[in-house]
Amino acid sequence: MGNLWAHIRDGTAGAGTAMVLGLAAFVAAACVSLLLLRPLAEALCRGESDKVRGGRVRRIRFSLLVASLAFGLFVLLHATIPAGTRLGRPSYQFVQLFLVLFAFYALFEMALTFVADFLPRLRGNAPVTPFAKDIVRTVVFVVVFMYAIRQSFPTADFGAVLTTSAILSVVVGLALQESLSNVFAGLLLSVDRPFQPGEWIEIDGREGKVVDSNWRSTRICTRDDDVIYVPNNVLSKSTVMNFSRPTKEHWCVKDVGIEYGAPPNKVRAVLINMMRQIDGILHEPVPEVRVVGYGDSAITYRLMWVIENYDRRTAIEAEVLRAVWYHLKRNGISIPFPIRDVYLRRVKPEKGPDEMVALLKEVDILKPLDPKELEMLAEDLTSQLFARGEVIFRQGEPGSTFHIVKSGVIAVIIKGVDGVEAEVAQLKAGQYFGEMSLLTGDARSSTCKALEDTELLCLDRDSFAVLLRENPPIAQAISEIISARQTEAREKLEIERETVVRRRPKEEGQTKRILEKIWTIFGFKRNPE
């Protein structure tokens, strides 16, 4: 064994022995590369996109295979070329150069991946930017390349090479002055890191999400899915607003003009309640509404709310502005036109008394009323608009308003004591709901939700109070009708649960209890006979 090592060291081994040693060295290096280093590289790249991970692993694998082959040839030549003449043989010099460069590249790439990508992900931080890694990779590789050249070709005249390179560098630098400016600007951005891929920024009035950065430019994807390539030197000289820092929570602001006749406290309460119902708006911090100015025709209110997903900012803003119109309309608050504008429109005539009375006649609990009493109620009807998907009221909430569907569809949903929710009815034009809370003072017994844009006609408790005082026997007829409706709704809920539950019989005193509640809520001391 000692003699074999001496022959390898001195370069006096035979051709057959050298070939066996070279082949054994290649096989050993390939086994280490494929069985140990390649799986390690794949583990370090885990967590990156398939495209990035696949490209990096392929480069490392190729470098390891070339280095393994170079190592086998290096052992073969080292064993056959005498020690004093090795550095004068071009074959030996180039094999040594390839071995150093490819082996170093593979090992350095794995080390860089570990430090710049694997460790930051393990700690929950963002990986180092690709541009910074390119800078480090280039500088280190140039240094190693120069060192490998110096060791492999010790007799080469590097002075002439460096002189020629300096002159060439000046020429290239002047020709590529703008490109080099982008490179150095990209280097400064990589050090300062004002943004990272995936963050939303604004530059010179253009808003978009950062895709990535390279040596020359930064790619930004706008909300219209258009990609903007911003040169790094332009980016480094511009003011950049980062919407994703210091936190992902972002305040949104919109101004709305509202009529002078609406009390500011009422407007503020309506708009804050509206924003709390919008999906995507955080409840903490609480949405805010402020009076910011008095215009020619309107008071300007500033709506402020916080979102966490900046990708949905424009969609949430659109939803807020849509909901503003419906909520203001339902509460009798208008958005005025500028008083300097001349606006011509044809006013659609309101429904006449006869048409309103005809609608009230279709309501079964109002059938005991005579035409004069229906006309009295028709005068007190008010109209409210609800958007598709809006909840009119929820089960368990207090209420004192009776609703008639003028147009649209309403879903009636009941939640049982066991938490099971069931849609017991869909109410269309001419049908009604909310009579129990109006007449008895009970909390809402169901949740009612608009399935499409819906207009409702509303009656309040005061209108019924006058009516019952003038005609007390009406309460008895209304209580019987309500009792029958309650029993029907309960039966539908039991069927929806799909359980074998024996139907509860109608309690004997149910009608009487409803009648008692009606007299109590309207302030009468006793039941008229």
Side-chain angles (χ1 to χ4, degrees):
M1 189 68 181
N3 292 333
L4 179 61
W5 175 251
H7 286 304
I8 296 175
R9 183 189 60 203
D10 297 334
T12 58
T17 303
M19 291 183 63
V20 171
L21 290 174
L23 181 61
F26 168 70
V27 173
C31 290
V32 171
S33 300
L34 296 177
L35 300 180
L36 179 61
L37 297 180
R38 179 186 172 186
L40 179 59
E42 292 177 346
L44 293 176
C45 296
R46 190 172 301 159
E48 299 180 349
S49 64
D50 294 340
K51 182 178 179 180
V52 174
R53 182 176 65 252
R56 183 173 298 175
V57 171
R58 282 195 299 272
R59 290 194 299 271
I60 294 176
R61 181 181 58 189
F62 175 76
S63 300
L64 289 173
L65 290 177
V66 174
S68 300
L69 180 60
F71 181 66
L73 293 175
F74 178 79
V75 172
L76 172 64
L77 295 176
H78 197 87
T80 56
I81 300 176
T85 61
R86 286 172 184 158
L87 295 179
R89 299 287 187 91
S91 58
Y92 182 86
Q93 292 172 315
F94 279 106
V95 166
Q96 180 176 286
L97 178 65
F98 273 73
L99 173 61
V100 172
L101 293 181
F102 281 94
F104 174 80
Y105 175 82
L107 297 176
F108 176 76
E109 190 70 24
M110 294 173 63
L112 183 63
T113 302
F114 176 77
V115 174
D117 296 312
F118 183 79
L119 280 183
R121 283 197 301 268
L122 194 63
R123 297 171 180 174
N125 300 326
V128 177
T129 61
F131 182 78
K133 288 186 289 187
D134 288 343
I135 291 292
V136 174
R137 187 182 290 115
T138 301
V139 172
V140 173
F141 193 76
V142 168
V143 172
V144 172
F145 179 77
M146 296 299 295
Y147 175 79
I149 288 288
R150 185 67 180 176
Q151 293 299 317
S152 300
F153 301 92
T155 59
D157 185 6
F158 283 94
V161 175
L162 291 177
T163 302
T164 305
S165 300
I167 297 174
L168 183 61
S169 298
V170 173
V171 175
V172 172
L174 292 175
L176 302 178
Q177 184 176 2
E178 188 69 20
S179 298
L180 291 176
S181 175
N182 287 325
V183 170
F184 285 104
L187 178 60
L188 294 176
L189 289 174
S190 179
V191 173
D192 189 35
R193 302 186 73 177
F195 50 78
Q196 293 180 2
E199 294 183 342
W200 283 87
I201 66 172
E202 181 181 272
I203 172 174
D204 295 336
R206 295 175 294 185
E207 181 185 86
K209 180 187 287 188
V210 178
V211 179
D212 57 26
S213 299
N214 54 36
W215 292 78
R216 195 192 74 85
S217 62
T218 297
R219 289 195 302 163
I220 299 175
C221 183
T222 68
R223 291 194 179 275
D224 298 326
D225 287 335
D226 298 323
V227 176
I228 302 175
Y229 291 84
V230 183
N232 289 333
N233 62 342
V234 174
L235 197 60
S236 63
K237 298 175 184 178
S238 302
T239 300
V240 178
M241 180 180 293
N242 193 328
F243 299 107
S244 302
R245 298 184 187 179
T247 66
K248 292 185 178 180
E249 295 181 356
H250 179 78
W251 281 94
C252 297
V253 177
K254 281 293 180 182
D255 291 345
V256 177
I258 297 176
E259 63 170 325
Y260 274 88
N265 284 344
K266 179 180 179 181
V267 173
R268 184 175 181 274
V270 169
L271 294 179
I272 289 178
N273 180 63
M274 175 272 300
M275 287 189 286
R276 285 176 174 171
Q277 300 178 27
I278 302 297
D279 183 33
I281 294 181
L282 300 182
H283 290 181
E284 291 292 339
V286 179
E288 184 58 70
V289 175
R290 299 175 182 175
V291 178
V292 295
Y294 292 88
D296 293 338
S297 59
I299 299 176
T300 303
Y301 291 83
R302 178 158 295 167
L303 282 64
M304 306 170 63
W305 66 91
V306 178
I307 61 175
E308 191 172 28
N309 184 1
Y310 196 78
D311 292 13
R312 295 192 58 226
R313 181 183 65 82
T314 54
I316 294 174
E317 287 180 352
E319 181 65 16
V320 168
L321 295 179
R322 183 193 69 84
V324 164
W325 189 92
Y326 284 100
H327 280 73
L328 294 180
K329 187 72 173 180
R330 283 200 299 273
N331 287 274
I333 302 172
S334 64
I335 302 175
F337 298 97
I339 60 176
R340 290 188 294 270
D341 287 355
V342 178
Y343 184 76
L344 302 177
R345 62 188 180 95
R346 297 180 61 187
V347 180
K348 184 178 180 180
E350 298 289 340
K351 289 183 178 292
D354 294 339
E355 197 168 357
M356 289 295 186
V357 171
L359 286 174
L360 295 177
K361 285 182 179 180
E362 299 299 322
V363 180
D364 53 5
I365 67 171
L366 301 181
K367 287 183 179 178
L369 304 182
D370 58 35
K372 290 185 178 179
E373 293 167 336
L374 291 175
E375 289 178 4
M376 182 185 71
L377 290 181
E379 294 176 356
D380 294 336
L381 285 175
T382 59
S383 176
Q384 291 186 350
L385 294 174
F386 287 85
R388 178 174 61 87
E390 282 198 88
V391 175
I392 292 106
F393 53 72
R394 299 184 183 277
Q395 185 174 340
E397 293 179 348
S400 61
T401 308
F402 171 66
H403 304 276
I404 303 172
V405 182
K406 182 178 178 183
S407 62
V409 180
I410 297 294
V412 180
I413 303 168
I414 295 180
K415 184 176 183 179
V417 294
D418 54 359
V420 177
E421 288 189 353
E423 183 180 306
V424 298
Q426 287 190 3
L427 307 180
K428 299 183 179 180
Q431 296 180 294
Y432 63 91
F433 57 98
E435 69 282 358
M436 283 297 296
S437 296
L438 170 73
L439 298 173
T440 67
D442 288 348
R444 298 294 190 185
S445 59
S446 62
T447 297
C448 290
K449 179 180 180 181
L451 297 181
E452 57 186 51
D453 283 8
T454 301
E455 183 176 1
L456 302 178
L457 300 177
C458 306
L459 284 171
D460 58 23
R461 188 172 289 157
D462 293 338
S463 301
F464 271 91
V466 175
L467 180 64
L468 294 180
R469 286 190 182 97
E470 295 180 356
N471 193 352
I474 294 176
Q476 175 68 31
I478 291 176
S479 62
E480 292 177 356
I481 296 172
I482 293 176
S483 177
R485 280 172 59 93
Q486 277 191 318
T487 301
E488 181 181 357
R490 186 164 52 246
E491 291 174 357
K492 288 183 178 180
L493 178 60
E494 291 172 353
I495 294 173
E496 184 69 23
R497 290 174 181 159
E498 296 181 357
T499 59
V500 184
V501 179
R502 188 171 56 187
R503 180 176 141 189
R504 286 183 289 177
K506 177 180 177 183
E507 298 181 6
E508 189 174 335
Q510 184 177 9
T511 300
K512 184 177 180 180
R513 285 198 306 274
I514 294 175
L515 182 60
E516 291 286 347
K517 287 184 177 182
I518 292 176
W519 291 126
T520 300
I521 198 65
F522 286 98
F524 295 102
K525 296 181 179 179
R526 62 182 182 85
N527 296 350
E529 300 295 338

